[in-house]
Amino acid sequence: MRVPLLDLDAQYRPLREALLAAMTRVCDSQRFIMGPEIDALERELAAMLGVRHAIAVSSGTDALLLALMALDIKAGDEVVTTTYSFFATAGAIVRLGARPVLVDIDPATFNIDPVQAINAITPRTKAILPVHLFGLSADLDPIMDVAVRARIPVIEDAAQAIGSTYKSRPLGGIGVFGCFSFFPSKNLGAFGDAGLLTTEDEALAARARLLRTHGMQPKYFHHLVGGNFRMDALQAAVLRVKAPHLEAWTEGRRRNAARYRRLFRESGLEGAIALPIEPPDRRHIFNQFVIRTSERDALKRHMDGLGIGTEIYYPVPFHLQPCFADLGHRRGDFPHAERAADESLAIPIYGELTAAQQEAVVAAIGQFVHQRVGASR
Ligand SMILES: *Cc1c(COP(=O)(O)O)cnc(C)c1O
C-alpha cells in the first residue's frame, strides 16, 4: 500500500465548491490587495487564537522578519534561538544584520533547551526566539520568567503550532509576538504562501501594520522603511473557508498519533523506535509525527522502496549550515541537535490518513527492524 507523507487532495475534495466560490467572490470583486477579506480573516483568526491583534502577512518567514523589524532589531543585536528548526527562524535574524545566538535542544522534545537559552543572554540580547517545533510548545515558562524580568521580548515561532497550547494557553499569545505560517503543508494551509503575526501589544501591532506596507500612512507618506509583507486577498478567502475546519483536522492528527502509539506498542517496536512525547502541560498538534532511530537513513530507504512517504526534518542544524559558517561553530557544539538531525524521520500523520494506511506504515517499520535484528544475529 502506497502512503504519501501528506495528501492535500483528500482535504481539498470535500471543500472544493466552497473554496472555488470564495475565490470567485474575490475575482468578481477585483479587490486583490487588503480589503474586506483580509479584515474578516484577521478578525476571525484573532478570535480563534484568543489574541487581540492578528496581522495577515505574506508568509511565515515574513511574519518573523516583521516581528524582528517591529522590535527594531538591527546590526550588532543578538537574538537567542534554537539551532534546530526550519531555516527561516535564523535566516530572518541574519537578514537584519543581527546575530543568532544558537543553543541546543532538549532531546526529549526537539525544542530549545530553556536553561541554555537563559544562559545565552548577554547585554546585547534584544529578543529570544523559541520555536514550537513539529506542533509541540517549547517550555516557555522558564524563558518567560527571565525575559519579562530582563525586559527582553520573546517572539514565538509558532509556524508549525497553530492551535497548540502551553499550560492551557494558546501559542502565539504568550510572547510579545507569535508568528504563524500558512504554507500548504502546515496544519492550516493556504493555496500558496501566507502567514500571520499576532500580538497583544497595541503599539507594536500598529508598528507592524505600518511596516507591512512600506511604513506608509497615508498613501506615499513613509514613516518607517518597511516592506511589502501583505497577504493576498485570494489567500485570505481560502483561509476563511478552511479555518473553521482546523480543530477537526487537528483532532484527526491527534487521533492518528494515539493510534500510532498503540500500533507501535502492539508491534513491540517501542524499544527500537523512539516516538514523540507530549508533556501533560502541552497540547501537541502534530504538524509532524517525528520518530527517531539510529538507523534513520536505512529506514528511510526502506520506506522509499515501499512507496511510503517520509521526510527528514531537518538534516543539518543551523550551526553546521555553510551560510552560517561565520558564526564560528563546529560539529560537536550542539550534540543533541546534531543527533536529532541524524536520527529523526517524519512519518505520515495528516488527518485523513486511514487506520489501514497507518497499519501499513507500522508494518513496514516493523519489517525493517526485524530484518536488522535478524542480520545482526
Ligand atoms: C514553515 C516555517 C517557517 C516559515 O514559514 P513560510 O510560510 O514557509 O515562510 C518558519 N519557521 C518554521 C519553524 C516553519 O516550520
Side-chain angles (χ1 to χ4, degrees), residues 268-269 272-273 293 299 302 364-375:
L269 292 170
I273 305 287
T293 164
L299 174 60
H302 174 80
I365 296 170
Q367 188 189 19
F368 172 82
V369 170
H370 293 127
Q371 269 170 18
R372 289 277 147 166
V373 171

Side-chain angles (χ1 to χ4, degrees), residues 316-331:
V316 184
F318 296 153
H319 68 284
L320 301 178
Q321 292 287 358
C323 67
F324 297 141
D326 60 349
L327 294 176
H329 289 295
R330 54 183 128 147
R331 188 166 288 281

Side-chain angles (χ1 to χ4, degrees), residues 57-64 82 84-90 129-134 157-161 179-186 192-196 287 313-314 318:
V57 297
S58 31
S59 68
T61 302
D62 286 343
L64 288 164
T82 172
Y84 192 67
S85 175
F86 176 62
F87 179 76
T89 310
L129 210 178
V131 180
H132 308 306
L133 204 65
F134 306 140
D157 183 340
Q160 300 181 3
C179 304
F180 295 88
S181 167
F182 303 122
F183 185 81
S185 70
K186 304 295 162 81
D193 283 308
L196 189 79
N287 179 239
Y313 301 112
Y314 296 91
F318 296 153

Side-chain angles (χ1 to χ4, degrees), residues 339-354:
R339 213 171 139 201
D342 290 340
E343 294 188 348
S344 50
L345 191 67
I347 61 176
I349 190 65
Y350 57 90
E352 298 82 2
L353 200 63
T354 64

Side-chain angles (χ1 to χ4, degrees), residues 31-50:
R31 287 200 65 180
F32 298 116
I33 305 293
M34 300 307 286
E37 295 289 342
I38 296 287
D39 294 343
L41 179 73
E42 290 185 342
R43 272 198 309 276
E44 290 158 11
L45 291 182
M48 188 180 95
L49 296 169

Side-chain angles (χ1 to χ4, degrees), residues 248-268:
W249 293 334
T250 298
E251 276 308 313
R253 286 169 181 267
R254 290 177 54 76
R255 181 196 61 227
N256 292 346
R259 189 184 286 142
Y260 269 141
R261 283 189 209 293
R262 183 170 57 71
L263 290 170
F264 274 96
R265 191 171 57 239
E266 288 171 359
S267 311

Side-chain angles (χ1 to χ4, degrees), residues 65-191:
L65 193 60
L66 197 50
L68 293 163
M69 288 173 77
L71 293 168
D72 199 28
I73 284 164
K74 52 188 180 308
D77 294 342
E78 293 180 356
V79 179
V80 174
T81 194
T82 172
T83 189
Y84 192 67
S85 175
F86 176 62
F87 179 76
T89 310
I93 298 166
V94 174
R95 284 170 67 185
L96 294 174
R99 180 184 174 90
V101 175
L102 303 175
V103 302
D104 209 350
I105 56 168
D106 170 356
T109 63
F110 299 104
N111 282 322
I112 192 165
D113 180 319
V115 174
Q116 292 192 43
I118 291 160
N119 288 340
I121 293 171
T122 75
R124 281 190 296 276
T125 305
K126 292 292 150 55
I128 305 173
L129 210 178
V131 180
H132 308 306
L133 204 65
F134 306 140
L136 176 71
S137 175
D139 190 10
L140 287 177
D141 268 358
I143 295 173
M144 290 303 300
D145 284 353
V146 172
V148 166
R149 259 184 288 128
R151 296 176 185 276
I152 299 170
V154 170
I155 302 169
E156 297 174 63
D157 183 340
Q160 300 181 3
I162 191 164
S164 185
T165 61
Y166 178 73
K167 302 191 176 171
S168 307
R169 298 176 64 190
L171 298 186
I174 299 174
V176 168
F177 278 117
C179 304
F180 295 88
S181 167
F182 303 122
F183 185 81
S185 70
K186 304 295 162 81
N187 284 27
L188 178 58
F191 283 0

